[in-house]
């Protein structure tokens, strides 16, 4: 019975987020994305949360389509939240994004699983865009 109740609430939350958006909707973040490599240069980019989806504009994730995100409040408000999303592109593979929001700051990591199965890791930090 517990499993059935848990499944019902999980499905309700998923349907609600896809129909009405998620807790991070309407936020845009300017980030610096750095590959986990000693010689790699960081890239500037943007994370945009809208209608329950994450869109990423950065050189680290070219051509990936927006993907649904999930977010969970750390302290009962959206000021501090943990979130994750998976963005897919058939020719590129899958890129998983995981982050933590603390007020107007965001940080986290991303893993790009290429079609060949190779993992490329990135870390990111940034701040909420005003306006």
């Amino acid at each position: 019975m517990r499993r059935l109740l848990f499944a019902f609430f999980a499905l309700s939350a998923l349907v609600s987020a896809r129909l009405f958006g998620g807790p991070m909707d309407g936020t845009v973040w300017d980030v610096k994305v750095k590959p986990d490599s000693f010689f790699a240069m960081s890239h500037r980019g943007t994370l945009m949360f809208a209608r329950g989806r994450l869109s990423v504009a950065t050189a680290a994730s070219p051509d990936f389509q927006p993907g649904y995100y999930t977010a969970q409040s750390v302290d009962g408000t959206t000021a501090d939240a943990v979130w994750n999303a998976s963005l897919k592109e058939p020719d590129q593979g899958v890129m998983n994004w995981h982050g933590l929001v603390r007020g107007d700051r965001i940080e986290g990591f991303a893993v790009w699983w290429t079609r060949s199965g190779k993992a490329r890791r990135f870390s990111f930090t940034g701040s909420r865009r005003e306006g």
Side-chain angles (χ1 to χ4, degrees):
M1 181 66 172
R2 266 189 188 164
R3 287 184 182 175
L4 184 59
L5 190 58
F6 176 76
F8 171 76
F9 284 117
L11 181 61
S12 298
L14 181 63
V15 169
S16 174
R18 291 192 179 187
L19 290 177
F20 306 110
M24 302 219 12
D25 276 7
T27 62
V28 178
W29 305 83
D30 293 317
V31 294
K32 187 187 320 182
V33 181
K34 183 183 182 308
D36 285 348
S37 172
F38 186 71
F39 298 106
M41 300 292 291
S42 62
H43 300 84
R44 296 215 176 267
T46 305
L47 305 179
M48 298 162 282
F49 293 88
R51 296 178 47 215
R53 292 178 177 239
L54 169 66
S55 298
V56 178
T58 177
S61 59
D63 304 325
F64 281 91
Q65 298 298 313
Y68 288 107
Y69 73 89
T70 60
Q72 185 172 14
S73 174
V74 174
D75 63 354
T77 70
T78 57
D80 293 334
V82 177
W83 59 271
N84 63 58
S86 292
L87 285 65
K88 300 174 187 172
E89 180 57 40
D91 295 335
Q92 301 290 332
V94 175
M95 194 160 189
N96 296 310
W97 291 80
H98 306 273
L100 172 65
V101 171
R102 291 184 182 143
D104 288 337
R105 303 289 305 158
I106 192 167
E107 63 183 80
F109 64 93
V111 179
W112 178 356
W113 295 95
T114 64
R115 287 188 63 206
S116 65
K118 183 179 177 185
R120 296 179 60 194
R121 291 170 175 79
F122 303 85
S123 58
F124 65 91
T125 60
S127 59
R128 186 186 309 251
R129 184 180 289 175
E130 296 296 322

